[in-house]
Structure formats: structure tokens, C-alpha cells
């Protein structure tokens, strides 16, 4: 579920080519070139790659060895959820809060100029 949500988030952020691996590669290349969104500079690529890898591993049959999926316990899911919530926070909430605060300050500064 988080893997799919990550792919949707990247799509929303303009990374529309290919599957999730390609989107992550494109984001990494943009980071290296200094052309990635600001939020991408605040989260290591490895976190995103691990969400992808865990999502992939959770749905693959592993030749019938379901024991491999036992590592996807509540602690793992909680870590993934916390990582994803942090991602959502830096992608959407921080810019929203910054813009709201900036607008408020601008309106107050403008009122003092009159």
C-alpha cells in the first residue's frame, strides 16, 4: 500500500515516466543535478528505495517461501508508516505552513505601511 502511495506521490510531484524504480531513478538524477524539488533534498534516497523494496517483497511469492514475509511485522509497518508520514510532511505540510505564515506576515507588514 505504501509503495503504491509513494508512486502516486512521485507522479503528483512531476515524476511521471515509467514504474516506481524509474521514478526514483529520475528523482535521484534530479537531486544530483540540483534540479529536484526542495523536499527531495531533505530525505535520503534510501528511505524511498526501501519503501519500494519492502512493497515489492510483500507481494512477490518468493517461490512459495512465505516465511520471508514474516519480517513485515508491526514494527516494520510502523517504521514505514512513520517514514511515509514524514515524507508527506516535508512534501506538503512544510510548504503549506510556510506559505500561510508568509502571507500572514506580508498582510501585517502591508497594513503597517499605510
Amino acid at each position: 500500500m505504501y509503495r503504491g502511495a509513494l508512486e502516486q506521490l512521485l507522479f503528483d510531484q512531476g515524476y511521471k515516466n515509467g514504474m516506481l524504480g524509474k521514478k526514483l531513478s529520475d528523482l535521484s538524477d534530479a537531486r544530483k543535478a540540483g534540479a529536484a524539488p526542495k523536499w527531495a533534498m531533505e530525505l535520503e534516497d534510501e528511505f524511498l528505495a526501501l519503501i519500494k523494496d519492502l512493497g515489492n517483497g510483500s507481494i512477490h511469492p518468493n517461490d512459495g517461501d512465505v516465511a520471508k514475509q514474516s519480517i513485515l511485522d508491526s514494527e516494520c509497518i510502523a517504521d514505514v508508516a512513520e517514514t511515509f508520514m514524514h515524507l508527506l510532511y516535508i512534501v506538503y505540510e512544510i510548504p503549506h505552513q510556510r506559505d500561510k505564515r508568509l502571507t500572514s506576515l506580508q498582510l501585517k507588514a502591508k497594513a503597517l505601511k499605510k
Side-chain angles (χ1 to χ4, degrees):
M1 182 167 96
Y2 287 105
R3 185 202 177 284
L6 175 58
E7 188 159 9
Q8 180 60 41
L9 184 144
L10 291 174
F11 185 88
D12 180 61
Q13 293 296 302
Y15 296 90
K16 299 182 182 210
N17 296 326
M19 296 177 68
L20 182 55
K22 171 72 170 135
K23 289 175 177 70
L24 290 173
S25 177
D26 290 349
L27 177 63
S28 181
D29 291 346
R31 282 179 59 163
K32 290 173 188 167
K38 184 178 177 183
W39 65 263
M41 304 303 192
E42 298 178 25
L43 186 70
E44 295 84 3
D45 287 343
E46 189 171 5
F47 279 106
L48 304 179
L50 290 170
I51 290 173
K52 176 187 78 70
D53 292 345
L54 288 167
N56 288 349
S58 72
I59 62 168
H60 291 171
N62 298 311
D63 293 325
D65 182 4
V66 295
K68 287 185 177 182
Q69 277 102 353
S70 68
I71 60 133
L72 301 170
D73 58 10
S74 59
E75 180 182 356
C76 178
I77 300 303
D79 287 345
V80 170
E82 186 175 333
T83 299
F84 203 82
M85 294 201 32
H86 178 70
L87 177 61
L88 292 173
Y89 182 75
I90 63 174
V91 172
Y92 297 111
E93 289 300 318
I94 289 175
H96 173 73
Q97 290 173 2
R98 182 192 61 233
D99 292 347
K100 184 178 174 184
R101 190 171 40 256
L102 180 60
T103 299
S104 175
L105 292 171
Q106 288 170 334
L107 289 171
K108 291 174 176 129
K110 184 178 179 180
L112 288 174
K113 287 184 179 181
K114 293 182 180 184

